[in-house]
């Protein structure tokens, strides 16, 4: 098995558009490095009285277009290169969606599934203490990501506000709605992804009514993706999975009952009326649309030949490795790339920032209308360039995004 490195893959995607954009090797080298990164050791008192030192990172990849923005992950397998890769993806995603923001990402190596709520709160606060002078509402604005949620964002906003002695909603997004959060942020990534699938399905001639869909991951993005797909687009979600494994039902899953089951048992597995499958089996199902919505590097050179879906929509960041991307492309399976498809989260985070700056609160309809316009505009731009130049949508997306960042760097006089 090949060791996968998300950051190396993202750099390859960047190179794919260098010739079209006439990017010199020197400029390419500049853009292959994060501008700043902070490594911290975070001491936390555990419930048994012991002290544990957790390793944490915050990477600000490129801020040519504006303050940097990107989520915070709590995960046992976190590495600095994954965080660098995710920070780079955020840079290109914000640029592609025409947001006045750069890209960043943060992470702490920890296993929140084995920590109490009190330990998670103390870790969240201690992480913010460690990075408080590195972030800020005009500088770098975190958000939720894998295994962090709106409660974690509330503790982090509170801790930052205590340090700087003023309530600072704008330092973090994805907060609870009652604490400066935006309507529609919780399901924004999934809802935005479906706007892109809807447009792509029209162009590809895939009817969504009754389309067979599998979703890998049943967390924030995956669970909302499954439910929005089934309830608003009438697709048939035949399989979903989580870190332990998946479930399959050919006639479609009862997703509301499955949510209750996951709440009670901690997993989607052993759900009545469905059969258990592995995550590998889910990726190889004979379906119309495959939505990877869990982690990076799940579709690889080893398993991509087994993928039978007619369309892959990357709701997760980096789910398809660089090598697998080329193989799927050669097999004619279109991929809606992460920087396009999962931009709904950062778009509504940006709308949350705008509301916080103006001490305003918009209703859900207003947020959704703005989200839909941004997602459809970005899809149309990517699709037009991809069809015009006969290149994959990922390459077209990178060409637009990297071009915007390079223009900003040139106007600033950096290069
Ligand atoms: P989450 O923590 O809410 O959910 C993650 C899900 O993935 C869980 O169901 C977990 O069980 C599952 N999972 C973990 N390891 C797995 C494995 N090895 N195989 C199968 N499933 C596994 O996280 P999330 O916020 O839903 O993020 C999911 C993906 O979407 C990540 O790639 C994240 O970077 C990306 N993303 C999230 C947002 C957001 O707004 N939350 C925005 C853009 C992109």
């Amino acid at each position: 098995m090949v060791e996968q490195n998300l950051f190396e893959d993202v750099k390859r995607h960047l190179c794919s558009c260098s010739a079209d954009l006439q990017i010199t090797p020197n400029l390419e080298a500049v853009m292959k490095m994060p501008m700043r990164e902070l490594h911290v050791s975070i001491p936390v008192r555990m419930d048994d009285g012991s002290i544990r030192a957790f390793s944490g990172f915050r990477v600000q990849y490129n801020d040519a277009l504006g303050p940097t923005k990107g989520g915070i992950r709590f995960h046992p397998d976190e590495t600095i290169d994954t965080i660098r890769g995710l920070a780079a993806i955020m840079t290109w995603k914000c640029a592609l969606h025409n947001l006045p923001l750069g890209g960043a990402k943060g992470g702490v190596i920890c296993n929140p599934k084995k920590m109490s709520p009190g330990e998670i709160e103390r870790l969240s606060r201690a992480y913010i203490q460690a990075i408080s002078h590195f972030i800020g509402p005009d500088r770098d604005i975190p958000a939720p990501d894998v295994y962090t949620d709106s409660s974690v964002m509330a503790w982090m906003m509170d801790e930052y506000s205590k340090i700087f002695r003023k309530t600072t909603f704008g330092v973090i997004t994805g907060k609870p709605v009652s604490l400066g959060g935006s309507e529609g942020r919780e399901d924004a990534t999934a809802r935005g992804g479906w706007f892109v699938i809807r447009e792509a399905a029209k162009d590809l001639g895939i009817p969504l009514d009754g389309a067979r869909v599998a979703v890998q991951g049943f967390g924030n993005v995956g669970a909302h993706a499954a439910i929005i797909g089934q309830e608003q687009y009438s697709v048939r979600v035949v399989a979903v999975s989580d870190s332990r494994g998946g479930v399959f039902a050919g006639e479609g899953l009862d997703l509301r009952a499955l949510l209750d089951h996951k709440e009670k048992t901690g997993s989607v597995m052993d759900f009545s009326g469905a059969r258990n499958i592995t995550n590998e089996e889910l990726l190889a199902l004979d379906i119309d649309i495959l939505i990877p919505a869990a982690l990076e590097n799940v579709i690889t050179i080893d398993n991509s030949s087994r993928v039978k879906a007619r369309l892959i929509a990357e709701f997760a960041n980096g789910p398809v490795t660089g090598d697998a991307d080329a193989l799927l492309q050669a097999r004619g399976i279109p991929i809606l790339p992460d920087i396009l498809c999962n931009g709904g989260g950062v778009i509504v985070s940006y709308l949350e920032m705008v509301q916080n700056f103006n001490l305003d609160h918009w209703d859900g309809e207003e947020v959704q209308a703005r989200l839909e316009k941004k997602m459809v505009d970005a899809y149309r731009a990517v699709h037009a360039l991809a069809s015009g130049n006969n290149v994959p949508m990922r390459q077209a997306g990178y060409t637009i995004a990297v071009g915007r960042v390079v223009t900003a760097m040139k106007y600033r006089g950096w290069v």
Side-chain angles (χ1 to χ4, degrees):
M1 202 167 7
V2 187
E3 178 82 8
Q4 298 299 341
N5 183 313
L6 178 72
F7 188 34
E8 293 304 320
D9 278 344
V10 179
K11 286 192 267 188
R12 273 170 68 183
H13 298 321
L14 165 66
C15 295
S16 72
C17 61
S18 292
D20 280 351
L21 292 171
Q22 297 176 335
I23 293 176
T24 62
N26 284 347
L27 178 52
E28 194 178 276
V30 171
M31 285 194 297
K32 281 179 170 173
M33 289 290 288
M35 296 182 78
R36 283 178 292 278
E37 54 184 55
L38 181 64
H39 296 226
V40 291
S41 170
I42 314 161
V44 175
R45 187 169 299 280
M46 308 305 280
D47 289 347
D48 64 5
S50 65
I51 301 271
R52 267 186 66 189
F54 294 90
S55 294
F57 317 105
R58 184 75 189 166
V59 175
Q60 295 167 357
Y61 196 81
N62 184 300
D63 62 6
L65 282 172
T68 52
K69 182 102 194 73
I72 296 170
R73 270 190 187 189
F74 285 175
H75 200 280
D77 302 331
E78 211 48 86
T79 69
I80 182 63
D81 261 5
T82 306
I83 297 293
R84 286 175 181 139
L86 292 166
I89 287 174
M90 283 306 297
T91 303
W92 314 131
K93 193 184 302 180
C94 290
L96 176 60
H97 288 280
N98 242 334
L99 301 174
L101 297 169
K105 205 80 181 187
V108 178
I109 304 173
C110 65
N111 189 349
K113 287 183 182 174
K114 295 197 172 148
M115 294 166 69
S116 71
E119 289 169 341
I120 294 174
E121 177 175 351
R122 290 194 289 281
L123 173 63
S124 303
R125 290 184 183 278
Y127 175 65
I128 288 301
Q129 286 163 20
I131 68 164
S132 60
H133 286 83
F134 199 60
I135 60 171
D138 311 307
R139 198 170 180 193
D140 179 16
I141 307 96
D145 198 82
V146 174
Y147 298 156
T148 56
D149 59 14
S150 57
S151 302
V152 171
M153 298 305 112
W155 292 322
M156 290 181 168
M157 187 283 292
D158 181 67
E159 193 61 32
Y160 184 92
S161 297
K162 280 180 180 157
I163 294 167
F164 292 95
R165 298 170 65 90
K166 56 180 177 188
T167 295
T168 314
F169 285 150
V171 71
I172 210 153
T173 59
K175 301 179 293 295
V177 170
S178 54
L179 198 65
S182 177
E183 303 291 341
R185 174 62 184 88
E186 192 72 20
D187 63 11
T189 307
R191 190 174 297 284
W194 273 106
F195 290 135
V196 172
I197 295 179
R198 180 191 73 193
E199 297 302 303
K202 280 186 226 160
D203 290 334
L204 294 163
I206 301 176
L208 287 184
D209 197 349
R212 289 155 54 89
V213 175
V215 182
Q216 185 191 43
F218 205 59
N220 176 301
V221 177
H224 284 119
I227 286 175
I228 290 172
Q230 198 144 283
E231 295 184 355
Q232 291 182 21
Y233 294 91
S234 307
V235 303
R236 195 158 22 119
V237 176
V238 294
V240 303
S241 66
D242 57 29
S243 57
R244 298 191 204 168
V247 282
F248 173 85
E251 292 310 304
L253 292 158
D254 179 347
L255 294 168
R256 297 277 169 187
L258 184 57
L259 272 180
D260 285 346
H261 173 79
K262 167 127 179 141
E263 183 76 26
K264 283 192 199 112
T265 67
S267 171
V268 295
M269 293 189 75
D270 302 322
F271 179 55
S272 72
R275 87 175 148 80
N276 286 341
I277 56 171
T278 63
N279 265 295
E280 281 300 313
E281 285 171 316
L282 179 141
L283 298 175
L285 288 171
D286 189 4
I287 46 172
D288 298 297
I289 304 170
L290 175 61
I291 302 183
L295 293 177
E296 57 283 347
N297 298 335
V298 291
I299 302 176
T300 65
I301 200 163
D302 297 320
N303 63 11
S304 66
S305 62
R306 294 195 286 279
V307 171
K308 297 186 197 72
R310 294 168 70 191
L311 173 66
I312 298 175
E314 292 186 336
F315 281 37
N317 284 310
V320 177
T321 66
D323 292 332
D325 193 54
L327 292 174
L328 290 163
Q329 199 182 298
R331 288 178 54 206
I333 299 179
I335 301 175
L336 299 170
D338 47 10
I339 60 169
L340 169 66
C341 207
N342 70 30
V346 71
I347 290 170
V348 176
S349 272
Y350 161 72
L351 299 178
E352 185 173 326
M353 286 171 65
V354 173
Q355 293 169 76
N356 290 160
F357 275 120
N358 294 318
L359 289 177
D360 203 351
H361 188 82
W362 302 336
D363 63 28
E365 273 173 36
E366 171 146 17
V367 171
Q368 199 173 310
R370 288 175 186 252
L371 169 66
E372 179 170 5
K373 179 164 179 2
K374 281 249 170 238
M375 296 302 299
V376 174
D377 285 354
Y379 171 77
R380 285 284 147 223
V382 169
H383 183 257
L385 188 64
S387 344
N389 290 5
N390 196 22
V391 295
M393 278 187 278
R394 192 184 313 278
Q395 187 175 331
Y398 268 78
T399 306
I400 296 169
V402 174
R404 286 180 180 154
V405 173
V406 170
T407 302
M409 288 169 76
K410 286 188 174 155
Y411 274 126
R412 279 178 174 245
W414 292 356
V415 291

